[in-house]
Amino acid sequence: MKKLATTVLAMALAAFLAPQAQAAGSTFPTPSGPSPTGATIKVPQGTYDGGMKRFYGTGNLGSGGQNEDQDPIFQLADGATLKNVVLGAPAADGVHCLGTCTLTNVWWEDVGEDAATFKGTSSSQTMTVNGGGARKASDKVFQHNGPGTMIIRNFQVDDFGKLYRSCGNCKTQHKRNVVLENITAFSPGKTLVGINTNYGDTARLSKITIVGDSSKKIVACEKYKGVTSGEPTKIGSGPDSTNCLYKTSDLTYR
């Protein structure tokens, strides 16, 4: 009996000391500290550096739901930059950009309604997301409601519905453009970009790496017929020479 107990103990110790298999997935930074936020932080023209603190909603920003009318944690004026920020849970409606804006090294640990929404009114405006990542987006990561171009580069996304969606049923519709460059997407996920071809939307994809999707279920580019009321209709997917501007060689699977 004593010998059996010794053997069991030795086996347990060996299992504990053995190298542990690491699950495939995105790698996020460790926040420098907490920053509970009860009201939207409004960033005028200029730069807001969050110092890698974890910002999360409290009070009216703390529901953690998927309501479409939630306020954001950050609101960026036309010309503003947000950098070095971790958004924890609850993240409310993440970040709203009211015109041209830049998000540098911004991380969403648990996406709320959306990670960021691009608003504004000018067809020349650009929202640039450079670096960072997002996890646990049950629906969309980036929502594009206004006109203009959204550029997402050097970004990782993990466990998501859509990485980018051109608004399918906004009351005022626009031609919208999206550029994805050097993106790593970790399964599970559904779609990288969704665009409205009837409004002339374009999506350019390059250097896309998809991890853990051996059956290739993640759709790179979905095409919709957008509307101003009701629900949009999905009408196709895949590369072409007009709207979904990429080649299958732009996608790497591992």
Side-chain angles (χ1 to χ4, degrees), residues 39-52:
T40 298
I41 299 170
K42 296 184 178 181
V43 182
Q45 285 188 349
T47 298
Y48 184 101
D49 189 333
M52 293 308 293

Side-chain angles (χ1 to χ4, degrees), residues 7 9 28 38 42 47-48 72 76 82-83 88 97 142 146 160 167-168 173 190-191 199 203-204 211 223 229 233:
T7 302
L9 178 61
F28 272 49
K42 296 184 178 181
T47 298
Y48 184 101
L76 308 185
L82 178 69
K83 69 178 185 178
C97 282
F142 296 114
F160 62 102
C167 183
Q173 288 286 25
K190 294 180 180 178
T191 306
Y199 297 125
R204 297 180 182 273
V211 182
K223 305 168 191 179
S229 64
T233 304

Side-chain angles (χ1 to χ4, degrees), residues 17-77:
L17 295 175
Q20 300 298 305
Q22 297 296 316
S26 53
T27 302
F28 272 49
T30 300
S32 61
S35 185
T37 305
T40 298
I41 299 170
K42 296 184 178 181
V43 182
Q45 285 188 349
T47 298
Y48 184 101
D49 189 333
M52 293 308 293
K53 289 183 179 179
R54 175 187 282 127
F55 294 80
Y56 58 91
T58 61
N60 291 335
L61 296 179
S63 71
Q66 288 289 316
N67 297 332
E68 291 291 334
D69 57 353
Q70 291 185 71
D71 290 329
I73 301 290
F74 289 96
Q75 178 180 286
L76 308 185

Side-chain angles (χ1 to χ4, degrees), residues 19-189:
Q20 300 298 305
Q22 297 296 316
S26 53
T27 302
F28 272 49
T30 300
S32 61
S35 185
T37 305
T40 298
I41 299 170
K42 296 184 178 181
V43 182
Q45 285 188 349
T47 298
Y48 184 101
D49 189 333
M52 293 308 293
K53 289 183 179 179
R54 175 187 282 127
F55 294 80
Y56 58 91
T58 61
N60 291 335
L61 296 179
S63 71
Q66 288 289 316
N67 297 332
E68 291 291 334
D69 57 353
Q70 291 185 71
D71 290 329
I73 301 290
F74 289 96
Q75 178 180 286
L76 308 185
D78 184 23
T81 294
L82 178 69
K83 69 178 185 178
N84 302 327
V85 163
V86 178
L87 281 90
D93 200 27
V95 179
H96 286 183
C97 282
L98 304 185
T100 291
C101 68
T102 302
L103 279 62
T104 302
N105 196 36
V106 176
W107 302 82
W108 290 264
E109 294 179 323
D110 189 339
V111 174
E113 182 187 340
D114 299 315
T117 303
F118 190 18
K119 298 186 173 186
T121 58
S122 172
S123 61
S124 63
Q125 66 186 11
T126 301
M127 176 177 177
T128 303
V129 179
N130 189 10
R135 287 174 170 163
K136 301 179 183 178
S138 59
D139 190 8
K140 303 173 295 293
V141 178
F142 296 114
Q143 173 76 19
H144 193 166
N145 289 349
T149 300
M150 184 181 292
I151 301 170
I152 307 165
R153 58 166 60 105
N154 308 319
F155 193 82
Q156 54 183 309
V157 61
D158 190 344
D159 189 4
F160 62 102
K162 290 182 175 66
L163 174 56
Y164 166 93
R165 181 66 171 104
S166 172
C167 183
N169 57 2
C170 284
K171 292 181 180 179
T172 301
Q173 288 286 25
H174 307 276
K175 178 185 185 297
R176 305 181 180 98
N177 309 296
V178 62
V179 177
L180 265 61
E181 180 183 10
N182 194 27
I183 304 297
T184 303
F186 296 87
S187 181

